[in-house]
Amino acid sequence: MKFELHFDKDIYNSQMDLLFDLAWKDKIAYYKNSQYFGILLAFIGIAMIYNRPNVFGIGYVFVFFGLSNLISFVYYYFKIRSFYKRMENVKVKEINDFHYVKYMNLEFTENALIATSGDHFNLIQWSEFMDYIVKENNLILITKDYEPLILSEIEVGSENFEEIISFVKAKFEGRVKNS
């Protein structure tokens, strides 16, 4: 199966946002909730220390665990924010690069996935893919180097997208049976 994909900035941005959510959404939710728990523990600990400073040091334990939750929240807040800024810079660079190359050929063969755009040629053997995910009408193929290749239903059409998904699913099932 061979497809010619035309670059669309809006589709690309939505695909990159989807990849960001897959990577960080659960961690963001977890640490957002842990900050509230940390503040609550620290507040209870400070109240216990203030009212009764020598009750087996329990107030200090609450303050310690509260601050450890808050420190992890602050660490991941800045880490995720930094990653998002870098991702935005990469998105802008990619959009500028694809401004000149308007299309990309994607070919699904029995042995490999072949992607060509302009002067660039990329051949990825099926054994190099670790997993695939179908999410929000997007097919995400993940290589062993954790490099995602994402294909949207809008880019190839509904019938072709279903055909691609069944082809990829057969490739992964065949690989599991052969192992």
Side-chain angles (χ1 to χ4, degrees):
M1 295 179 286
K2 189 172 185 175
F3 302 97
E4 184 174 297
L5 309 175
H6 296 280
F7 182 74
D8 185 357
K9 183 173 108 175
D10 297 329
I11 293 172
Y12 176 78
N13 284 330
S14 68
Q15 289 172 342
M16 292 301 108
D17 291 341
L18 175 66
L19 287 176
F20 180 81
D21 287 346
L22 282 174
W24 294 104
K25 191 173 189 176
D26 292 338
K27 197 167 276 242
I28 290 170
Y30 174 77
Y31 284 106
K32 181 180 177 188
N33 292 333
S34 75
Q35 85 172 349
Y36 300 130
F37 185 64
I39 290 171
L40 178 68
L41 286 177
F43 181 73
I44 290 171
I46 290 171
M48 289 176 81
I49 292 170
Y50 182 73
N51 288 337
R52 298 174 146 186
N54 292 326
V55 180
F56 306 110
I58 294 291
Y60 295 108
V61 172
F62 276 95
V63 169
F64 172 75
F65 284 118
L67 290 178
S68 66
N69 275 339
L70 287 174
I71 289 171
S72 63
F73 165 75
V74 169
Y75 170 75
Y76 277 105
Y77 173 78
F78 286 111
K79 183 176 181 176
I80 292 170
R81 194 170 119 200
S82 166
F83 179 80
Y84 188 74
K85 283 182 180 179
R86 282 185 306 193
M87 190 171 161
E88 287 297 317
N89 291 337
V90 168
K91 281 170 47 174
V92 168
K93 182 182 175 286
E94 290 283 325
I95 288 170
N96 290 337
D97 289 347
F98 277 110
H99 179 71
Y100 301 108
V101 179
K102 293 285 187 187
Y103 68 92
M104 174 180 176
N105 288 321
L106 199 60
E107 185 175 356
F108 293 86
T109 66
E110 288 299 318
N111 298 326
L113 175 68
I114 302 169
T116 56
S117 63
D119 296 336
H120 302 287
F121 176 81
N122 195 5
L123 183 125
I124 306 170
Q125 299 290 331
W126 287 111
S127 60
E128 289 297 311
F129 287 107
M130 201 171 62
D131 200 5
Y132 74 97
I133 302 168
V134 179
K135 185 141 180 136
E136 296 179 14
N137 296 328
N138 289 291
L139 172 66
I140 304 167
L141 295 166
I142 304 169
T143 64
K144 290 181 180 177
D145 296 332
Y146 297 104
E147 294 177 7
L149 181 108
I150 188 165
L151 180 67
S152 179
E153 180 180 8
I154 297 170
E155 294 175 303
V156 293
S158 297
E159 288 180 16
N160 291 334
F161 188 70
E162 293 300 323
E163 188 178 328
I164 291 170
I165 289 174
S166 60
F167 179 79
V168 169
K169 189 182 285 187
K171 283 294 173 193
F172 277 89
E173 287 173 357
R175 192 171 67 192
V176 171
K177 289 179 185 176
N178 292 336
S179 297

